[in-house]
């Protein structure tokens, strides 16, 4: 039985991943800020009693070690880590303060850096997957959010090269707009249906919002032993929403 730690498992892509991997008979440590919401997700998973819900505060790096050590002990080893937490925290100021910028960095990348630092030395082989955004290549979001997501891309591409020498495959995905339980697009659809429809009309060439069933097969592949050639790579998954390319 393979073992996975999912960061940000209480909602969005993390929630979808927990349910998906439980059907693949993984043993799962679900981590997020809300234990109550995590428990709701855990109970939706196949063989729910095999899994554990653990609170973690990604905005306070000093508290992370305790939660991660509990996850490792419960699983008795780690095969896969999925970093699915992230967001903009509603911080959209162009001249963002250093304190607010640090909050975004903590949530989107620095917490993942610390988690990886704690887990990787205990792995003989395995897969680490980061969920970034096409915002790392394009200035479509806020200054702080774009910058934080760009840092994920640089981190994965750089560290992924080094980890490949140790049979650890570090990869990432760069999704565009997609809908998942309580994620940004879910909230936009709920709170501003016109803006949601305008996003589909003006930003998505296929005129259809993405969903987790389109994303999870790629994450499942990146969690497999067959993903070796993907080490240090990040896969854009945006339905043609992005307009940048490398020459």
């Amino acid at each position: 039985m393979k073992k996975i730690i999912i960061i940000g498992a209480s909602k969005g892509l993390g929630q979808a991943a927990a349910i998906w991997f439980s059907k693949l008979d993984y043993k799962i440590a679900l981590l997020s800020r809300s234990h109550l919401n995590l428990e709701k997700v855990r109970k939706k998973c196949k063989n729910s009693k095999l899994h554990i819900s653990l609170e973690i505060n990604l905005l306070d790096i000093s508290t992370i070690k305790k939660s991660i050590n509990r996850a490792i002990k419960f699983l008795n080893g780690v095969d896969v880590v999925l970093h699915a937490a992230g967001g903009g925290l509603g911080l959209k100021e162009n001249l963002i303060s250093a304190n607010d910028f640090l909050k975004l960095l903590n949530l989107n990348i620095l917490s993942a850096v610390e988690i990886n630092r704690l887990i990787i030395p205990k792995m003989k082989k395995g897969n680490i997957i980061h969920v970034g955004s096409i915002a790392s290549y394009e200035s479509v979001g806020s200054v702080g959010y774009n910058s934080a997501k760009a840092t994920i891309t640089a981190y994965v591409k750089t560290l992924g090269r080094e980890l490949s020498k140790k049979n650890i495959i570090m990869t990432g995905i760069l999704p565009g707009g997609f809908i998942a339980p309580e994620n940004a697009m879910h909230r936009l659809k709920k709170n501003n249906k016109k803006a949601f429809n305008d996003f589909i009309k003006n930003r998505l060439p296929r005129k259809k919002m993405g969903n987790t069933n389109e994303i999870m097969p790629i994450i499942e592949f990146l969690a497999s032993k067959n993903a070796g050639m993907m080490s240090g790579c990040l896969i854009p998954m945006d339905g043609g929403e992005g307009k940048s390319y490398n020459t």
Side-chain angles (χ1 to χ4, degrees), residues 2 79-81 123 125-129 169 222-225 227:
K2 294 186 74 173
D79 298 300
V80 182
V81 181
M123 299 175 75
K125 60 179 180 179
N127 304 63
I128 300 174
I129 306 158
I169 305 167
L222 294 178
S224 75
K225 64 180 181 181

Side-chain angles (χ1 to χ4, degrees), residues 179-235:
I179 198 162
E182 299 303 321
N183 78 338
M185 283 299 163
H186 181 273
R187 295 192 300 272
L188 183 64
K189 183 179 181 181
K190 180 180 179 180
N191 299 325
N192 191 337
K193 189 68 176 291
K194 183 181 184 304
F196 178 82
N197 289 334
D198 286 347
F199 184 95
I200 294 174
K201 179 181 178 180
N202 299 321
R203 294 278 295 277
L204 305 181
R206 63 177 184 161
K207 309 305 177 187
K208 176 182 176 182
M209 182 63 67
N211 63 71
T212 56
N213 287 332
E214 296 176 293
I215 297 173
M216 282 310 306
I218 297 298
I219 292 181
E220 179 183 338
F221 166 68
L222 294 178
S224 75
K225 64 180 181 181
N226 297 318
M229 285 188 68
M230 300 301 298
S231 190
C233 297
L234 298 101
I235 303 174

Side-chain angles (χ1 to χ4, degrees), residues 6-18:
I6 301 177
I7 311 298
S10 65
K11 60 184 180 180
L13 186 59
Q15 178 182 142

Side-chain angles (χ1 to χ4, degrees), residues 2 5 38 62-63 85 128 136 151 161 164 191 199 241 245:
K2 294 186 74 173
I5 292 177
L38 281 174
S62 65
T63 67
I128 300 174
S136 64
T151 306
R161 289 170 55 89
S164 63
N191 299 325
F199 184 95
E241 178 185 343
Y245 56 88

Side-chain angles (χ1 to χ4, degrees), residues 72-190:
I72 294 171
K73 183 177 180 180
F74 172 79
L75 294 176
N76 191 27
V78 182
D79 298 300
V80 182
V81 181
L82 173 61
H83 293 284
L89 298 174
L91 301 171
K92 299 180 180 180
E93 298 85 354
N94 288 331
L95 298 178
I96 187 170
S97 71
N99 285 337
D100 283 346
F101 202 164
L102 183 58
K103 291 177 184 177
L104 289 173
L105 289 172
N106 281 343
L107 176 61
N108 287 282
I109 179 62
L110 296 183
S111 56
V113 169
E114 180 67 5
I115 289 166
N116 290 340
R117 187 185 71 83
L118 294 168
I119 293 176
I120 288 172
K122 302 179 186 298
M123 299 175 75
K124 293 183 179 179
K125 60 179 180 179
N127 304 63
I128 300 174
I129 306 158
H130 291 259
V131 178
S133 170
I134 60 163
S136 64
Y137 288 154
E138 301 189 355
S139 30
V140 294
S142 67
V143 171
Y145 181 78
N146 287 353
S147 301
K149 291 302 185 183
T151 306
I152 293 175
T153 297
Y155 175 77
V156 171
K157 291 186 74 67
T158 308
L159 185 56
R161 289 170 55 89
E162 299 302 316
L163 292 180
S164 63
K165 304 170 187 176
K166 301 178 180 180
N167 296 316
I168 296 175
I169 305 167
M170 176 175 280
T171 60
I173 63 168
L174 302 172
F178 70 94
I179 198 162
E182 299 303 321
N183 78 338
M185 283 299 163
H186 181 273
R187 295 192 300 272
L188 183 64
K189 183 179 181 181
K190 180 180 179 180

